[in-house]
Amino acid sequence: MADNKDNNSGVIKGPGWILTKLEWLINWGRKRSPWPFPYGTACCGIEMMATLASGYDMARFGAERVSFSPRQADILLEAGTITKKMVPVLRRIYDQMAEPKWVIAMGACACSGGVFRSYSTLQGIDKVIPVDVYIPGCPPRPEGLLYGLLKIIERIEKDHPLYKEAMKFKESEGGRICNF
Amino acid sequence: MQLLERIKGCLGGLIIDISEFHGDIAVEVDRFKIVEALTRLRDDESLSMNFLSDLFGLDNKAFYEKPKKKAKKGDAEGEEEEKPKELPPRFEVVYLLLSLKTNERMMVKIRVPEDDLEVSSVTSLYKAATWPEREAFDMFGIRFKGHPNLKRLLMWDDFPAYPLRKDYPLEGRGEERSLVYGD
Ligand code: SF4
């Protein structure tokens, strides 16, 4: 890039190359638009709404648009109590989300069942779906949720999407044939 | 006239027991006569209890059995022969009524024994009874004859127990295992 640059004006002449890792570029794009699917089932949902609204403004960190369709969401933001009757719904929504996907368990209820240690409540959503970030509290403060979102973003930064794909291909039949 | 007198005049011989506690009036009637009693209370000119604010089941098992256990601990050897007192029926169904005309409230209850859990539904009198009756069925297993759609309200359909009964453990018996996750 340096060769093409006129030192005096700062204007790029010529083709203007950028050299980077494709993985870095993918992660850069992903971490700046983690659209959440708001799954607010109880009181924690109210706190989630407060975080999304203008006071705390979760959009600052790229969660610009809450996606009400699981197919366009990146993060399942599970805020609230999950009853055992609702488990198939939660599981189905998780399955409908396209890869890559992350899950935030917000609040004591989503993490462990919370105060509802009873026959009707699921004792932690990690019994049915994998969870990336647990946020304790009953309910957690909006700062807590923002911190959780930043943790997810950190996680996305450290991800190796292409390497993972390559490993998957290596283990598949096609990978064995071409001796990858 | 006082509410108590008016209720007595309206129900007459249907009353098994009537009591007043801090201004709340509770009437017990026979479980086979509940529809008749509620019809009278609703249609009576001076009462017109035309609003059913709630209906729920009640399990008295723990309440009845506690004093029995205490007595056993006290004298472990001696008076075991003593005849156990006959317990009143285990379940109750309670109807909370409100009169929108006079703004007065009252409570009607019936007792339901464990071995015959059938009660006639009052959905023909009060539309509001449909969901509470389903809830009482869901939680206690009390069946309401004549209910248009008697199935579980809160738990899933093939849940195998009645969770608000006193002999059901709070944390359940692991019923979620019978749930099918996904398809
Ligand atoms: S953790 Fe607390 S605030 Fe959140 S859903 Fe559970 S009970 Fe409500």
Side-chain angles (χ1 to χ4, degrees):
Chain A
M1 207 203 277
D3 288 347
N4 294 325
K5 198 170 155 191
D6 185 326
N7 282 336
N8 296 327
S9 65
V11 175
I12 296 169
K13 289 177 186 166
W17 285 91
I18 280 185
L19 290 179
T20 179
K21 282 190 288 182
L22 187 53
E23 267 193 345
W24 181 89
L25 188 67
I26 291 173
N27 286 344
W28 174 83
R30 281 181 178 170
K31 82 178 183 199
R32 275 172 164 70
S33 62
W35 286 0
F37 178 87
Y39 200 87
T41 46
C43 11
C44 270
I46 305 293
E47 207 68 10
M48 177 185 72
M49 289 168 218
T51 320
L52 289 165
S54 47
Y56 288 93
D57 196 14
M58 208 154 114
R60 286 179 291 163
F61 305 104
E64 186 62 52
R65 166 185 174 272
V66 283
S67 172
F68 291 98
S69 157
R71 296 183 200 281
Q72 295 163 6
D74 303 298
I75 295 177
L76 178 61
L77 184 40
E78 212 301 296
T81 325
I82 290 290
T83 57
K84 282 173 185 165
K85 193 179 179 182
M86 205 190 259
V87 163
V89 180
L90 176 69
R91 180 70 220 191
R92 172 168 293 199
I93 283 178
Y94 179 77
D95 287 344
Q96 281 179 348
M97 285 169 64
E99 290 281 357
K101 54 191 170 188
W102 294 269
V103 178
I104 295 180
M106 179 184 179
C109 288
C111 295
S112 68
V115 290
F116 306 108
R117 192 164 178 187
S118 73
Y119 59 92
S120 58
T121 309
L122 188 69
Q123 303 297 304
I125 60 168
D126 50 7
K127 290 228 156 87
V128 281
I129 57 174
V131 176
D132 292 281
V133 170
Y134 298 85
I135 308 175
C138 179
R141 286 199 47 90
E143 291 90 339
L145 180 53
L146 292 178
Y147 185 69
L149 184 74
L150 291 177
K151 281 282 166 207
I152 291 258
I153 289 173
E154 256 173 44
R155 213 186 157 110
I156 297 173
E157 262 172 358
K158 289 181 196 148
D159 203 11
H160 296 287
L162 292 178
Y163 180 74
K164 263 194 220 155
E165 280 305 307
M167 284 298 117
K168 246 188 233 165
F169 178 68
K170 191 179 172 185
E171 272 150 32
S172 72
E173 202 168 346
R176 261 178 272 133
I177 287 169
C178 64
N179 202 10
F180 176 74
Chain B
M1 214 178 3
Q2 281 298 305
L3 180 61
L4 198 68
E5 264 78 70
R6 271 181 282 144
I7 291 169
K8 273 182 188 161
C10 170
L11 289 179
L14 287 179
I15 298 174
I16 294 177
D17 184 27
I18 186 162
S19 61
E20 186 169 355
F21 180 74
H22 284 281
D24 293 335
I25 293 174
V27 185
E28 191 190 329
V29 298
D30 189 88
R31 69 189 177 110
F32 298 109
K33 306 248 172 70
I34 181 65
V35 176
E36 194 193 334
L38 290 191
T39 315
R40 277 202 217 170
L41 289 171
R42 189 187 65 168
D43 296 340
D44 187 273
E45 274 296 302
S46 64
L47 284 165
S48 77
M49 292 287 171
N50 51 7
F51 188 89
L52 179 82
S53 48
D54 205 357
L55 181 167
F56 47 87
L58 202 67
D59 183 359
N60 280 323
K61 189 182 170 72
F63 181 62
Y64 290 150
E65 287 182 357
K66 236 183 202 162
K68 232 169 71 182
K69 270 181 196 162
K70 252 188 197 166
K72 256 187 191 172
K73 260 187 191 170
D75 34 40
E77 287 166 34
E79 300 150 45
E80 257 180 43
E81 315 289 277
E82 201 184 305
K83 237 187 179 178
K85 245 202 290 175
E86 202 181 311
L87 298 172
R90 177 173 166 188
F91 295 102
E92 282 176 22
V93 180
V94 182
Y95 304 79
L96 301 183
L97 302 175
L98 166 70
S99 163
L100 292 177
K101 204 165 102 188
T102 59
N103 196 21
E104 284 165 325
R105 293 170 190 271
M106 67 176 291
M107 181 168 117
V108 182
K109 64 179 177 186
I110 54 177
R111 290 184 189 274
V112 188
E114 197 174 354
D115 47 6
D116 181 15
L117 286 168
E118 199 156 88
V119 174
S120 0
S121 164
V122 296
T123 44
S124 52
L125 296 174
Y126 300 104
K127 268 265 158 60
T130 46
W131 275 24
E133 281 185 357
R134 276 176 67 184
E135 191 202 10
F137 167 69
D138 189 354
M139 293 291 143
F140 297 98
I142 299 166
R143 286 184 301 281
F144 292 87
K145 211 165 68 193
H147 190 287
N149 181 26
L150 192 65
K151 57 179 189 181
R152 284 181 178 275
L153 179 67
L154 297 166
M155 306 309 288
W156 56 95
D157 279 338
D158 43 6
F159 188 76
Y162 298 111
L164 240 53
R165 287 190 180 181
K166 292 295 176 202
D167 47 8
Y168 183 82
L170 174 63
E171 287 172 35
R173 299 193 185 111
E175 277 87 359
E176 69 271 25
R177 265 177 282 159
S178 60
L179 247 188
V180 183
Y181 296 132
D183 281 313

